[in-house]
Amino acid sequence: MLLSKTSEHALRGLIYLAGQAPGKPSLSRDIADHLGASVQYVTGILRRLAKRGVLISVKGKGGGFVLRPGAENMNILDMVEIVDGRQVMPHCVFSLKKCAKEMGCPIHCQWQQLKNQEMEILRTQTIGSVARLCSMDILSRDPIGNGQQTATL
């Protein structure tokens, strides 16, 4: 299961907020600029996260979004389920409606092992642990596909 674009933007937005001064709101416009996405799209994601208690939405002048204390302990799987509005269930590589051990696709057993490993990674990695890795410049990314490597998510 690859992350949906929305989940990817949510994760990168949360990592951005985790790297900001505690309690200091960030404008959705600044987060959108950082992510290379539209303000409306990012604001919708941030509002959804605020509604579910992951973020605090601060209204008025000097307002924006703040990572709620303790939210850095949320695992990535829970964040994906909040953002995508469904329980994460990796699908069959051949898109079969019913793919089970008894009646699976030709690579069911191998694919199931990969899915289990991926789910375990999403379950054990937290927003905070990924943010710490990013702050150590371990991860690099070319978010707009221009060939330049950056250490920001």
Side-chain angles (χ1 to χ4, degrees), residues 16-36:
Y16 174 86
L17 289 169
Q20 304 306 303
K24 184 176 183 279
S26 295
L27 296 172
S28 55
R29 176 181 64 235
D30 294 339
I31 300 167
D33 286 346
H34 179 77
L35 299 178

PDB file of all heavy atoms in Angstrom, residues 16-36:
ATOM      1  N   TYR A  16       6.353  18.938   9.218  1.00  0.00           N
ATOM      2  CA  TYR A  16       6.688  20.374   9.182  1.00  0.00           C
ATOM      3  C   TYR A  16       6.297  21.033  10.504  1.00  0.00           C
ATOM      4  O   TYR A  16       7.092  21.755  11.116  1.00  0.00           O
ATOM      5  CB  TYR A  16       5.974  21.038   8.009  1.00  0.00           C
ATOM      6  CG  TYR A  16       6.131  22.537   7.960  1.00  0.00           C
ATOM      7  CD1 TYR A  16       7.233  23.118   7.335  1.00  0.00           C
ATOM      8  CD2 TYR A  16       5.179  23.370   8.539  1.00  0.00           C
ATOM      9  CE1 TYR A  16       7.383  24.502   7.288  1.00  0.00           C
ATOM     10  CE2 TYR A  16       5.327  24.749   8.499  1.00  0.00           C
ATOM     11  CZ  TYR A  16       6.416  25.312   7.875  1.00  0.00           C
ATOM     12  OH  TYR A  16       6.569  26.683   7.829  1.00  0.00           O
ATOM     13  N   LEU A  17       5.075  20.773  10.963  1.00  0.00           N
ATOM     14  CA  LEU A  17       4.601  21.374  12.215  1.00  0.00           C
ATOM     15  C   LEU A  17       5.398  20.880  13.421  1.00  0.00           C
ATOM     16  O   LEU A  17       5.659  21.647  14.349  1.00  0.00           O
ATOM     17  CB  LEU A  17       3.108  21.097  12.406  1.00  0.00           C
ATOM     18  CG  LEU A  17       2.183  21.861  11.471  1.00  0.00           C
ATOM     19  CD1 LEU A  17       0.767  21.322  11.539  1.00  0.00           C
ATOM     20  CD2 LEU A  17       2.225  23.348  11.766  1.00  0.00           C
ATOM     21  N   ALA A  18       5.820  19.629  13.395  1.00  0.00           N
ATOM     22  CA  ALA A  18       6.617  19.085  14.502  1.00  0.00           C
ATOM     23  C   ALA A  18       7.967  19.789  14.593  1.00  0.00           C
ATOM     24  O   ALA A  18       8.567  19.859  15.666  1.00  0.00           O
ATOM     25  CB  ALA A  18       6.821  17.582  14.319  1.00  0.00           C
ATOM     26  N   GLY A  19       8.433  20.344  13.483  1.00  0.00           N
ATOM     27  CA  GLY A  19       9.710  21.038  13.463  1.00  0.00           C
ATOM     28  C   GLY A  19       9.622  22.514  13.821  1.00  0.00           C
ATOM     29  O   GLY A  19      10.641  23.204  13.884  1.00  0.00           O
ATOM     30  N   GLN A  20       8.418  23.011  14.065  1.00  0.00           N
ATOM     31  CA  GLN A  20       8.234  24.418  14.411  1.00  0.00           C
ATOM     32  C   GLN A  20       8.319  24.616  15.923  1.00  0.00           C
ATOM     33  O   GLN A  20       8.241  23.666  16.685  1.00  0.00           O
ATOM     34  CB  GLN A  20       6.869  24.926  13.895  1.00  0.00           C
ATOM     35  CG  GLN A  20       6.667  24.735  12.402  1.00  0.00           C
ATOM     36  CD  GLN A  20       7.776  25.339  11.575  1.00  0.00           C
ATOM     37  OE1 GLN A  20       8.072  26.525  11.666  1.00  0.00           O
ATOM     38  NE2 GLN A  20       8.429  24.507  10.762  1.00  0.00           N
ATOM     39  N   ALA A  21       8.466  25.857  16.325  1.00  0.00           N
ATOM     40  CA  ALA A  21       8.510  26.175  17.758  1.00  0.00           C
ATOM     41  C   ALA A  21       7.214  25.706  18.420  1.00  0.00           C
ATOM     42  O   ALA A  21       6.122  25.970  17.895  1.00  0.00           O
ATOM     43  CB  ALA A  21       8.691  27.674  17.959  1.00  0.00           C
ATOM     44  N   PRO A  22       7.309  25.004  19.542  1.00  0.00           N
ATOM     45  CA  PRO A  22       6.100  24.513  20.223  1.00  0.00           C
ATOM     46  C   PRO A  22       5.129  25.651  20.551  1.00  0.00           C
ATOM     47  O   PRO A  22       5.530  26.689  21.055  1.00  0.00           O
ATOM     48  CB  PRO A  22       6.648  23.888  21.518  1.00  0.00           C
ATOM     49  CG  PRO A  22       8.081  23.584  21.216  1.00  0.00           C
ATOM     50  CD  PRO A  22       8.532  24.642  20.253  1.00  0.00           C
ATOM     51  N   GLY A  23       3.856  25.432  20.209  1.00  0.00           N
ATOM     52  CA  GLY A  23       2.822  26.406  20.523  1.00  0.00           C
ATOM     53  C   GLY A  23       2.720  27.575  19.558  1.00  0.00           C
ATOM     54  O   GLY A  23       1.801  28.377  19.661  1.00  0.00           O
ATOM     55  N   LYS A  24       3.639  27.688  18.601  1.00  0.00           N
ATOM     56  CA  LYS A  24       3.603  28.796  17.638  1.00  0.00           C
ATOM     57  C   LYS A  24       2.846  28.351  16.389  1.00  0.00           C
ATOM     58  O   LYS A  24       3.284  27.446  15.685  1.00  0.00           O
ATOM     59  CB  LYS A  24       5.018  29.227  17.253  1.00  0.00           C
ATOM     60  CG  LYS A  24       5.031  30.428  16.323  1.00  0.00           C
ATOM     61  CD  LYS A  24       6.462  30.874  16.046  1.00  0.00           C
ATOM     62  CE  LYS A  24       6.475  32.111  15.184  1.00  0.00           C
ATOM     63  NZ  LYS A  24       6.304  31.842  13.765  1.00  0.00           N
ATOM     64  N   PRO A  25       1.698  28.994  16.127  1.00  0.00           N
ATOM     65  CA  PRO A  25       0.892  28.585  14.970  1.00  0.00           C
ATOM     66  C   PRO A  25       1.603  28.848  13.639  1.00  0.00           C
ATOM     67  O   PRO A  25       2.338  29.817  13.490  1.00  0.00           O
ATOM     68  CB  PRO A  25      -0.357  29.461  15.071  1.00  0.00           C
ATOM     69  CG  PRO A  25      -0.392  29.936  16.482  1.00  0.00           C
ATOM     70  CD  PRO A  25       1.041  30.036  16.908  1.00  0.00           C
ATOM     71  N   SER A  26       1.366  27.942  12.701  1.00  0.00           N
ATOM     72  CA  SER A  26       1.869  28.089  11.338  1.00  0.00           C
ATOM     73  C   SER A  26       0.682  28.284  10.412  1.00  0.00           C
ATOM     74  O   SER A  26      -0.329  27.580  10.525  1.00  0.00           O
ATOM     75  CB  SER A  26       2.642  26.845  10.906  1.00  0.00           C
ATOM     76  OG  SER A  26       3.802  26.677  11.678  1.00  0.00           O
ATOM     77  N   LEU A  27       0.799  29.234   9.492  1.00  0.00           N
ATOM     78  CA  LEU A  27      -0.266  29.485   8.526  1.00  0.00           C
ATOM     79  C   LEU A  27      -0.359  28.338   7.527  1.00  0.00           C
ATOM     80  O   LEU A  27       0.666  27.783   7.113  1.00  0.00           O
ATOM     81  CB  LEU A  27       0.008  30.784   7.770  1.00  0.00           C
ATOM     82  CG  LEU A  27       0.020  32.071   8.595  1.00  0.00           C
ATOM     83  CD1 LEU A  27       0.499  33.235   7.728  1.00  0.00           C
ATOM     84  CD2 LEU A  27      -1.365  32.347   9.154  1.00  0.00           C
ATOM     85  N   SER A  28      -1.582  28.014   7.138  1.00  0.00           N
ATOM     86  CA  SER A  28      -1.763  26.957   6.138  1.00  0.00           C
ATOM     87  C   SER A  28      -1.069  27.342   4.834  1.00  0.00           C
ATOM     88  O   SER A  28      -0.562  26.481   4.119  1.00  0.00           O
ATOM     89  CB  SER A  28      -3.244  26.644   5.916  1.00  0.00           C
ATOM     90  OG  SER A  28      -3.957  27.792   5.581  1.00  0.00           O
ATOM     91  N   ARG A  29      -1.005  28.632   4.543  1.00  0.00           N
ATOM     92  CA  ARG A  29      -0.315  29.111   3.341  1.00  0.00           C
ATOM     93  C   ARG A  29       1.169  28.743   3.380  1.00  0.00           C
ATOM     94  O   ARG A  29       1.743  28.296   2.392  1.00  0.00           O
ATOM     95  CB  ARG A  29      -0.493  30.631   3.211  1.00  0.00           C
ATOM     96  CG  ARG A  29       0.265  31.253   2.059  1.00  0.00           C
ATOM     97  CD  ARG A  29       0.087  32.757   1.991  1.00  0.00           C
ATOM     98  NE  ARG A  29       0.653  33.391   3.179  1.00  0.00           N
ATOM     99  CZ  ARG A  29      -0.007  34.212   3.994  1.00  0.00           C
ATOM    100  NH1 ARG A  29      -1.259  34.522   3.768  1.00  0.00           N
ATOM    101  NH2 ARG A  29       0.580  34.731   5.042  1.00  0.00           N
ATOM    102  N   ASP A  30       1.805  28.913   4.550  1.00  0.00           N
ATOM    103  CA  ASP A  30       3.222  28.571   4.688  1.00  0.00           C
ATOM    104  C   ASP A  30       3.437  27.065   4.572  1.00  0.00           C
ATOM    105  O   ASP A  30       4.410  26.611   3.958  1.00  0.00           O
ATOM    106  CB  ASP A  30       3.765  29.071   6.027  1.00  0.00           C
ATOM    107  CG  ASP A  30       3.774  30.593   6.123  1.00  0.00           C
ATOM    108  OD1 ASP A  30       3.756  31.271   5.065  1.00  0.00           O
ATOM    109  OD2 ASP A  30       3.787  31.109   7.264  1.00  0.00           O
ATOM    110  N   ILE A  31       2.533  26.302   5.152  1.00  0.00           N
ATOM    111  CA  ILE A  31       2.633  24.845   5.073  1.00  0.00           C
ATOM    112  C   ILE A  31       2.442  24.394   3.628  1.00  0.00           C
ATOM    113  O   ILE A  31       3.189  23.559   3.119  1.00  0.00           O
ATOM    114  CB  ILE A  31       1.613  24.172   6.017  1.00  0.00           C
ATOM    115  CG1 ILE A  31       1.886  24.592   7.469  1.00  0.00           C
ATOM    116  CG2 ILE A  31       1.653  22.651   5.874  1.00  0.00           C
ATOM    117  CD1 ILE A  31       0.779  24.239   8.438  1.00  0.00           C
ATOM    118  N   ALA A  32       1.456  24.972   2.947  1.00  0.00           N
ATOM    119  CA  ALA A  32       1.202  24.633   1.542  1.00  0.00           C
ATOM    120  C   ALA A  32       2.412  24.974   0.681  1.00  0.00           C
ATOM    121  O   ALA A  32       2.796  24.186  -0.198  1.00  0.00           O
ATOM    122  CB  ALA A  32      -0.044  25.370   1.044  1.00  0.00           C
ATOM    123  N   ASP A  33       3.019  26.131   0.906  1.00  0.00           N
ATOM    124  CA  ASP A  33       4.223  26.505   0.158  1.00  0.00           C
ATOM    125  C   ASP A  33       5.327  25.475   0.385  1.00  0.00           C
ATOM    126  O   ASP A  33       6.009  25.059  -0.555  1.00  0.00           O
ATOM    127  CB  ASP A  33       4.726  27.894   0.567  1.00  0.00           C
ATOM    128  CG  ASP A  33       3.868  29.022   0.036  1.00  0.00           C
ATOM    129  OD1 ASP A  33       3.032  28.781  -0.871  1.00  0.00           O
ATOM    130  OD2 ASP A  33       4.022  30.157   0.537  1.00  0.00           O
ATOM    131  N   HIS A  34       5.494  25.074   1.621  1.00  0.00           N
ATOM    132  CA  HIS A  34       6.519  24.087   1.966  1.00  0.00           C
ATOM    133  C   HIS A  34       6.267  22.758   1.258  1.00  0.00           C
ATOM    134  O   HIS A  34       7.196  22.092   0.814  1.00  0.00           O
ATOM    135  CB  HIS A  34       6.558  23.895   3.478  1.00  0.00           C
ATOM    136  CG  HIS A  34       7.553  22.884   3.923  1.00  0.00           C
ATOM    137  ND1 HIS A  34       8.901  23.140   3.990  1.00  0.00           N
ATOM    138  CD2 HIS A  34       7.398  21.582   4.309  1.00  0.00           C
ATOM    139  CE1 HIS A  34       9.532  22.050   4.398  1.00  0.00           C
ATOM    140  NE2 HIS A  34       8.641  21.103   4.614  1.00  0.00           N
ATOM    141  N   LEU A  35       4.992  22.380   1.166  1.00  0.00           N
ATOM    142  CA  LEU A  35       4.625  21.102   0.556  1.00  0.00           C
ATOM    143  C   LEU A  35       4.533  21.165  -0.962  1.00  0.00           C
ATOM    144  O   LEU A  35       4.482  20.130  -1.624  1.00  0.00           O
ATOM    145  CB  LEU A  35       3.277  20.621   1.114  1.00  0.00           C
ATOM    146  CG  LEU A  35       3.203  20.374   2.615  1.00  0.00           C
ATOM    147  CD1 LEU A  35       1.795  19.943   3.003  1.00  0.00           C
ATOM    148  CD2 LEU A  35       4.224  19.347   3.042  1.00  0.00           C
ATOM    149  N   GLY A  36       4.459  22.380  -1.513  1.00  0.00           N
ATOM    150  CA  GLY A  36       4.292  22.520  -2.955  1.00  0.00           C
ATOM    151  C   GLY A  36       2.897  22.133  -3.407  1.00  0.00           C
ATOM    152  O   GLY A  36       2.707  21.563  -4.476  1.00  0.00           O
TER     153      GLY A  36
END
